[in-house]
Amino acid sequence: MAATAFSGSVATTRTHEYIGNSTLNQDFGNSYLQLTRKGFKIDLGRSGKKQYWTRERGSCLIQASFEATTVSDEVSTPVNSTKVESVKKPREAALILIRHGESLWNEKNLFTGCVDVPLTKKGVEEAIEAGKRISNIPVDMIYTSALIRAQMTAMLAMTQHRRKKVPIVLHNESEQAESWSQIFSQETEKQCIPVVTAWQLNERMYGELQGLNKQETADKYGKEQVHEWRRSYDIPPPNGESLEMCAERAVAYFKEHIEPQLQAGKNVMIAAHGNSLRSIIMYLDKLTSQEVISLELSTGIPMLYIVKEEKYIRRGSPAAPSEATVYAYTKNLARYRQKLDEMVH
């Protein structure tokens, strides 16, 4: 009448004759198979599942395959399986760091710290030049401090990007702010880059030095004392932050909010300040407290890191677009630049 086979978690039933009015019952351990004139029924005892199929009268082939569920939900793979597991290539992402351009208080030689001061004309030009240097590097997200000079730098830099996406500051400070700043066009949203502002990326707070002239302060307290306040790692100015204190908040924010984006393959730009960026670079390059205090960052000069396999590889400062070759590019970045060239032509 019929030939049946059951092996492991796969069952195959074949019949080449009419079942007619007869019924075939067959047990397979914890599973049960019943063939009737109208169809057949499978009861998977271990999983508690019951499944039914119907068939037309006549010569036919009936085949049912199922996975028998066990306590551990493990299904063995046949030794001769030809299934090829896809090997995922490690994701690569770009991280761009930019120290803001010259501010009005930089120009006046005043301690600025967390006072919210805008850029000078020179600072605007530095931000634009920085934008030209990163104009061929993909940017998916932007993080800035809560201070206007860093935000101006980020916005001005993006005006030079060849992709021409628009940076949009996210306002999540209240439900109303979030609701009122919604974008209702998916096409428009695709052409935007979210900008996240965070006080944790602010310049270190200089306490009672903020607003004082640097030279006059050195004359009053002595050059050595002022140098110690400005360049030591763990000695803060009066009622202010040390670099160590600044690093605690800046690096913690980087690890919690920015690093997951990079590890997910997002290309990120951070526009911030000398000490908050110095703190992040200390983490990225694994610098000691002595090494970081001697680290100098120029205003408006971007630094590029490639993030791959949870490692940060410093690639230096991208050269301007007029350069024939850019040593900082990886293959992925080169492909991105090629796509930009194709879009233009």
Side-chain angles (χ1 to χ4, degrees):
M1 286 287 293
T4 60
F6 187 92
S7 175
S9 62
V10 178
T12 303
T13 302
R14 292 182 174 84
T15 175
H16 297 283
E17 299 182 16
Y18 295 112
I19 295 177
N21 294 324
S22 65
T23 299
L24 172 64
N25 299 305
Q26 185 70 49
D27 289 311
F28 304 103
N30 291 330
S31 300
Y32 170 78
L33 171 66
Q34 183 184 65
L35 294 179
T36 66
R37 178 172 56 86
K38 294 181 179 181
F40 64 93
K41 177 175 72 174
I42 295 177
D43 183 352
L44 308 181
R46 282 182 292 181
S47 65
K49 296 179 182 177
K50 294 184 179 181
Q51 301 188 39
Y52 302 86
W53 288 264
T54 59
R55 58 178 286 276
E56 298 294 332
R57 287 178 61 91
S59 179
C60 66
L61 171 68
I62 302 173
Q63 181 169 311
S65 297
F66 59 91
E67 292 180 354
T69 305
T70 64
V71 176
S72 63
D73 287 332
E74 292 182 358
V75 179
S76 60
T77 303
V79 176
N80 61 348
S81 172
T82 58
K83 181 180 179 181
V84 178
E85 295 290 339
S86 59
V87 179
K88 291 185 178 180
K89 293 183 178 180
R91 292 180 177 177
E92 177 184 297
L95 171 63
I96 303 166
L97 307 179
I98 304 179
R99 182 185 177 189
H100 66 80
E102 181 188 67
S103 76
L104 286 167
W105 276 16
N106 291 146
E107 184 183 47
K108 294 180 180 294
N109 201 31
L110 304 179
F111 285 103
T112 309
C114 287
V115 181
D116 210 357
V117 180
L119 299 178
T120 61
K121 181 182 178 181
K122 178 183 176 182
V124 169
E125 293 170 350
E126 288 177 331
I128 292 173
E129 178 60 27
K132 292 177 181 178
R133 290 175 178 267
I134 63 167
S135 62
N136 293 306
I137 299 174
V139 177
D140 300 312
M141 292 195 70
I142 299 172
Y143 289 85
T144 78
S145 75
L147 302 175
I148 190 66
R149 56 191 185 272
Q151 295 174 24
M152 288 178 69
T153 299
M155 297 300 188
L156 289 167
M158 291 309 297
T159 64
Q160 304 302 305
H161 202 280
R162 295 175 66 195
R163 189 66 179 83
K164 300 301 180 185
K165 287 191 174 184
V166 179
I168 302 291
V169 177
L170 301 182
H171 288 281
N172 300 324
E173 57 267 26
S174 67
E175 287 187 13
Q176 181 174 334
E178 189 173 356
S179 175
W180 283 19
S181 60
Q182 286 185 77
I183 300 171
F184 292 94
S185 167
Q186 289 185 349
E187 286 303 312
T188 300
E189 195 166 25
K190 289 178 183 177
Q191 298 304 313
C192 297
I193 300 175
V195 180
V196 179
T197 62
W199 70 268
Q200 293 92 334
L201 299 176
N202 282 7
E203 180 59 283
R204 75 175 170 124
M205 204 272 281
Y206 270 99
E208 295 176 12
L209 299 185
Q210 292 184 170
L212 300 183
N213 182 278
K214 294 177 181 178
Q215 184 57 51
E216 292 175 359
T217 305
D219 294 340
K220 181 178 179 179
Y221 295 100
K223 290 183 179 180
E224 289 185 5
Q225 178 61 75
V226 173
H227 182 78
E228 188 176 61
W229 285 334
R230 294 186 66 188
R231 291 302 181 191
S232 65
Y233 181 69
D234 55 2
I235 300 175
N239 295 316
E241 282 185 311
S242 64
L243 178 57
E244 182 180 31
M245 295 161 70
C246 177
E248 286 179 3
R249 58 173 165 86
V251 174
Y253 183 86
F254 180 88
K255 288 181 178 180
E256 183 177 355
H257 297 279
I258 302 176
E259 203 162 42
Q261 300 291 345
L262 293 165
Q263 291 173 356
K266 296 286 186 180
N267 303 291
V268 175
M269 181 175 84
I270 304 175
H273 309 265
N275 285 295
S276 55
L277 290 177
R278 196 177 279 125
S279 301
I280 291 172
I281 292 172
M282 180 183 182
Y283 168 70
L284 300 179
D285 291 353
K286 296 179 173 58
L287 302 179
T288 66
S289 59
Q290 289 301 309
E291 290 172 329
V292 74
I293 59 177
S294 61
L295 178 64
E296 292 290 344
L297 300 178
S298 300
T299 56
I301 302 297
M303 290 188 64
L304 175 65
Y305 284 81
I306 299 300
V307 186
K308 194 171 184 179
E309 296 179 337
E310 300 185 358
K311 294 180 180 179
Y312 295 93
I313 306 164
R314 191 199 287 198
R315 306 288 291 200
S317 178
S322 59
E323 296 291 331
T325 58
V326 182
Y327 72 91
Y329 279 10
T330 62
K331 289 183 179 179
N332 285 352
L333 293 182
R335 280 194 291 267
Y336 179 80
R337 180 172 182 172
Q338 184 177 0
K339 288 181 180 178
L340 292 178
D341 290 339
E342 291 170 356
M343 288 172 62
V344 173
H345 301 94

